[in-house]
């Protein structure tokens, strides 16, 4: 397969055709990248509320995860003086809360201040990072893209992308820069970047066109995810025989190489930290909604800091 020169846009013009988005405020700067739509669910959902008025109930602060329904179960205690006459003490009720509702509510709160700013998720590729990216795009009503997939498509698909990288690593990196250049010139995107997106100064500069969030997932979880699914981090990265020690060692080597770039992100969301905050002993108990909500909280903080800096810079 003939290599597509990264300095030429003809290859991308022939491979990628831009679809006109349904959002009038989405200003497309270049037609070089084909942006595939992410279907969005606009169905509204509500919290399951206790039958007693909020003023007569206390919500226990420690949620109990239900892994089958992906909901959080809370115990709601009626105050003794509000309990029915036939009851000698407090009444305990169980309320199930869908965590996706919290994600959507937070997204609605920050969307006006976000003003269409794109979100770039960096970090070692994992199914969790992908799921969080898709959930954020749905909640924010943004488009979702995987930069590795676009590079591979421009190189002839998965097998072509792998062959491209093995034959010409420099050319593959140049293609990554070209794809990020096109994505960073647009708005209202959630982009899951590849492992190498932080490897060059050019890419790091392009990520500054939006907000970058490092999704930090423990390497042992990523290694087990690769082995269970029988997949690779991307079609262009080969992880040997697939045995756990070999996969983990290669991930560790990749992590050490990229960690400095990941640390330049505007904010970091650590799976381990989220688990500690929620009081979970097992990292598997953390759902994608928990990570997505934490990402939105970090974005909210970044927006608040930016606003404060802008106000401080105004002349008296």
């Amino acid at each position: 397969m003939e290599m597509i020169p990264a300095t030429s846009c003809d290859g991308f013009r022939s491979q990628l055709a831009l679809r006109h988005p349904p959002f009038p405020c989405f200003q497309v700067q270049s037609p070089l990248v084909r942006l595939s739509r992410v279907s969005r669910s606009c169905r509204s959902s509500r919290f399951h509320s206790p039958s007693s008025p909020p003023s007569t109930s206390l919500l226990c602060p420690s949620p109990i995860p239900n892994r089958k329904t992906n909901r959080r179960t809370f115990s709601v205690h009626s105050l003794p003086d509000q309990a029915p006459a036939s009851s000698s003490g407090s009444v305990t009720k169980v309320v199930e809360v869908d965590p996706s509702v919290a994600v959507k509510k937070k997204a609605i709160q920050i969307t006006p201040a976000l003003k269409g700013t794109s979100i770039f998720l960096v970090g070692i590729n994992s199914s969790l990072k992908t799921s969080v990216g898709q959930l954020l795009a749905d909640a924010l009503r943004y488009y979702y893209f995987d930069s590795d997939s676009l590079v591979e498509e421009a190189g002839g698909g998965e097998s072509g992308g792998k062959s491209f990288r093995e034959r010409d690593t420099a050319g593959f990196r140049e293609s990554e820069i070209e794809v990020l250049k096109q994505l960073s010139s647009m708005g209202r995107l959630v982009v899951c970047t590849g492992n190498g997106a932080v490897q060059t100064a050019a890419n790091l500069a392009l990520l500054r066109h939006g907000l970058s969030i490092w999704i930090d997932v423990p390497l042992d979880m990523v290694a087990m995810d690769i082995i269970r699914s029988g997949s690779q981090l991307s079609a262009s990265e080969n992880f040997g025989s697939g045995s756990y020690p070999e996969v983990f060692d290669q991930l560790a080597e990749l992590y050490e190489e990229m960690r400095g770039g990941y640390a330049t992100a505007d904010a970091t969301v650590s799976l381990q930290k989220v688990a500690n905050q929620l009081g979970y002993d097992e990292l598997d108990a953390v759902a994608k909604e928990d990570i997505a909500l934490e990402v939105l909280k970090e974005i909210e903080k970044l927006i608040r800091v930016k606003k404060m800096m802008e106000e401080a810079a105004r002349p008296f």
Side-chain angles (χ1 to χ4, degrees):
M1 178 188 70
E2 183 180 356
M3 182 189 69
I4 301 174
T7 56
S8 171
C9 296
D10 294 339
F12 287 98
R13 287 196 181 96
S14 61
Q15 293 289 334
L16 312 173
L18 180 65
R19 294 181 182 177
H20 189 277
F23 301 97
C25 56
F26 184 83
Q27 300 298 324
V28 179
Q29 304 296 331
S30 171
L32 299 183
V33 180
R34 178 171 65 82
L35 308 182
S36 56
R37 290 186 178 181
V38 178
S39 60
R40 299 176 177 84
S41 172
C42 301
R43 294 173 297 179
S44 61
S45 52
R46 294 289 185 270
F47 284 106
H48 294 278
S49 303
S51 56
S52 56
S55 60
T56 64
S57 300
L58 295 177
L59 190 63
C60 290
S62 300
I64 305 172
N66 185 329
R67 301 301 296 167
K68 291 184 179 180
T69 62
N70 198 24
R71 295 173 182 265
R72 299 293 181 268
T73 302
F74 295 85
S75 295
V76 180
H77 304 281
S78 298
L79 297 178
D81 57 351
Q82 299 292 338
S86 58
S87 175
S88 59
S90 63
V91 177
T92 301
K93 299 180 181 181
V94 175
V95 179
E96 283 194 348
V97 178
D98 187 344
S100 64
V101 176
V103 173
K104 292 179 180 179
K105 290 183 68 174
K106 178 59 69 174
I108 291 173
Q109 291 174 4
I110 70 173
T111 294
L114 194 55
K115 298 179 181 178
T117 302
S118 291
I119 310 299
F120 295 93
L121 303 183
V122 303
I124 294 292
N125 288 348
S126 65
S127 60
L128 178 60
K129 188 176 81 168
T130 300
S131 299
V132 169
Q134 293 170 341
L135 179 59
L136 288 171
D138 179 73
L140 292 168
R141 298 187 63 77
Y142 273 24
Y143 287 101
Y144 170 79
F145 296 101
D146 184 292
S147 63
D148 268 356
S149 297
L150 293 176
V151 174
E152 290 164 3
E153 182 177 349
E158 292 186 357
S159 59
K162 180 179 178 180
S163 176
F164 184 15
R165 178 170 180 167
E166 291 175 348
R167 186 179 65 255
D168 186 0
T169 303
F172 189 90
R173 293 303 181 196
E174 288 297 321
S175 296
E176 282 186 321
I177 295 175
E178 180 63 26
V179 166
L180 279 178
K181 184 183 298 183
Q182 303 310 316
L183 293 174
S184 64
S185 68
M186 304 174 190
R188 300 184 66 88
L189 304 180
V190 173
V191 180
C192 269
T193 64
N195 298 317
V198 298
Q199 202 169 25
T200 66
N203 281 351
L204 290 175
L206 292 172
L207 295 180
R208 292 299 174 190
H209 289 251
L211 297 177
S212 56
I213 310 293
W214 177 12
I215 307 298
D216 190 9
V217 181
L219 298 184
D220 56 341
M221 289 190 65
V222 179
M224 290 302 299
D225 185 33
I226 293 173
I227 293 172
R228 281 196 300 263
S229 63
S231 63
Q232 299 173 354
L233 293 185
S234 73
S236 57
E237 292 168 332
N238 189 358
F239 281 79
S241 63
S243 64
Y244 178 83
E246 184 174 359
V247 171
F248 183 85
D249 289 345
Q250 293 184 49
L251 283 172
E253 182 179 352
L254 180 64
Y255 180 82
E256 288 302 318
E257 181 182 355
M258 304 295 180
R259 182 170 59 177
Y262 295 152
T264 65
D266 295 311
T268 300
V269 174
S270 166
L271 178 63
Q272 181 66 65
K273 184 177 179 179
V274 173
N276 293 340
Q277 291 174 344
L278 295 175
Y280 297 158
D281 295 329
E282 300 293 335
L283 297 183
D284 287 340
V286 180
K288 62 181 181 181
E289 289 85 1
D290 298 321
I291 300 296
L293 184 59
E294 193 65 25
V295 170
L296 292 174
K297 290 178 180 178
E298 291 296 330
I299 292 174
E300 187 176 37
K301 293 178 184 177
L302 292 171
I303 294 174
R304 188 182 304 119
V305 170
K306 181 180 179 181
K307 183 178 180 180
M308 292 173 60
M309 293 177 64
E310 290 175 348
E311 292 177 349
R314 292 175 182 173
F316 293 102

